[in-house]
Amino acid sequence: MLSIRLTPDDNSIKIDRCDAVLEIFLHFTKEDLAKLLMLKNREERFEAYLELYERGYEYAKAEGFEIGQDILLSLHRDFRENNYKNEWIWKKKLFRELDLYVIFQCTFTSTDFTLSIEALNAKKNIVKLKDVLLRTYPDEICYEKDFRNIVIVDNQILITDFLDHPFLSISIGDLNNGVLSVDGYGHDLLHKYDKEIKLIEW
């Protein structure tokens, strides 16, 4: 793991061989922090944080550590071009006999994490439906146990958790008609954390 941390002291590097961690400490003053906190524009804040990472990569390279800087900078470029969010496809499923293609996508931003569903025709040129199923904190472990697999049961897409218990189910027939019918098994998945997320949005 690569860890970049801020310190009032001089730049330095620490290696924790037991945990396989390379820690980079960057000189950062109270004045630097005050300037950062004064930034009101989201893009300026994102850029300020990315520049700190890039400073860390440069320092590690100057000290003789090969950390895949080119790959990391390429990821930064993609992140910038995607409006400062990480997105990836979690699962996809083709129902050829129904002319239906279903994609589940994860989106991770600085203010929330969402699991979305998109239903298209089999050729993927007509969008039948696109909606959010789950919204929670921007934390890599807040949602990790909630959804692991999809199973098709009785014309339903059943999403199961890490213990293979039902997490939510979606009607395939309704999806094919552009309607989202979800059984959340008592969970208010979309709005459960709205109040908390609002507190960290700026």
Side-chain angles (χ1 to χ4, degrees):
M1 185 175 80
L2 173 66
S3 173
I4 297 178
R5 303 175 67 177
L6 304 179
T7 176
D9 302 322
D10 292 337
N11 291 347
S12 62
I13 288 182
K14 177 182 172 186
I15 302 171
D16 184 338
R17 298 192 187 281
C18 293
D19 293 326
V21 178
L22 178 67
E23 287 185 286
I24 301 169
F25 294 87
L26 294 179
H27 178 64
F28 197 78
T29 65
K30 288 182 179 178
E31 292 77 16
D32 293 329
L33 178 60
K35 288 177 186 176
L36 179 63
L37 294 177
M38 289 295 291
L39 297 175
K40 300 299 182 189
N41 180 283
R42 291 171 67 93
E43 185 172 316
E44 289 177 349
R45 275 232 184 154
F46 291 140
E47 284 302 320
Y49 289 123
L50 287 173
E51 285 167 12
L52 286 171
Y53 280 110
E54 290 163 5
R55 268 182 56 197
Y57 305 158
E58 288 176 15
Y59 179 65
K61 189 171 184 179
E63 293 296 306
F65 292 93
E66 178 50 56
I67 58 170
Q69 185 187 39
D70 292 342
I71 294 171
L72 292 169
L73 292 175
S74 172
L75 291 172
H76 284 213
R77 185 187 64 245
D78 294 345
F79 186 63
R80 286 179 168 108
E81 290 174 357
N82 200 37
N83 197 26
Y84 304 96
K85 60 180 184 269
N86 288 312
E87 292 181 304
W88 65 96
I89 293 175
W90 173 56
K91 301 279 185 185
K92 49 191 176 181
K93 177 73 176 173
L94 174 64
F95 300 90
R96 195 177 302 279
E97 68 283 0
L98 295 174
D99 188 30
L100 178 66
Y101 189 77
V102 181
I103 302 170
F104 293 93
Q105 179 169 295
C106 298
T107 303
F108 202 147
T109 74
S110 63
T111 56
D112 65 2
F113 167 86
T114 57
L115 173 66
S116 300
I117 184 171
E118 185 171 9
L120 306 101
N121 65 332
K123 292 183 178 179
K124 298 184 275 187
N125 58 3
I126 298 173
V127 177
K128 300 183 180 188
L129 176 142
K130 188 170 186 178
D131 210 339
V132 175
L133 295 170
L134 165 68
R135 185 175 187 230
T136 186
Y137 301 112
D139 187 305
E140 71 274 13
I141 62 171
C142 196
Y143 59 85
E144 67 169 357
K145 293 181 180 178
D146 289 339
F147 56 94
R148 286 290 172 90
N149 295 302
I150 61 171
V151 182
I152 310 305
V153 180
D154 297 331
N155 202 37
Q156 300 281 322
I157 299 174
L158 182 65
I159 297 179
T160 60
D161 65 16
F162 77 114
L163 293 174
D164 276 336
H165 295 153
F167 177 58
L168 57 84
S169 63
I170 302 160
S171 167
I172 297 171
D174 285 348
L175 266 187
N176 197 37
N177 293 316
V179 176
L180 182 62
S181 297
V182 179
D183 184 347
Y185 299 96
H187 302 293
D188 180 11
L189 305 173
L190 183 55
H191 302 288
K192 183 175 180 181
Y193 296 105
D194 277 359
K195 186 185 292 185
E196 292 85 350
I197 290 170
K198 192 165 183 62
L199 293 174
I200 60 175
E201 289 179 331
W202 45 271

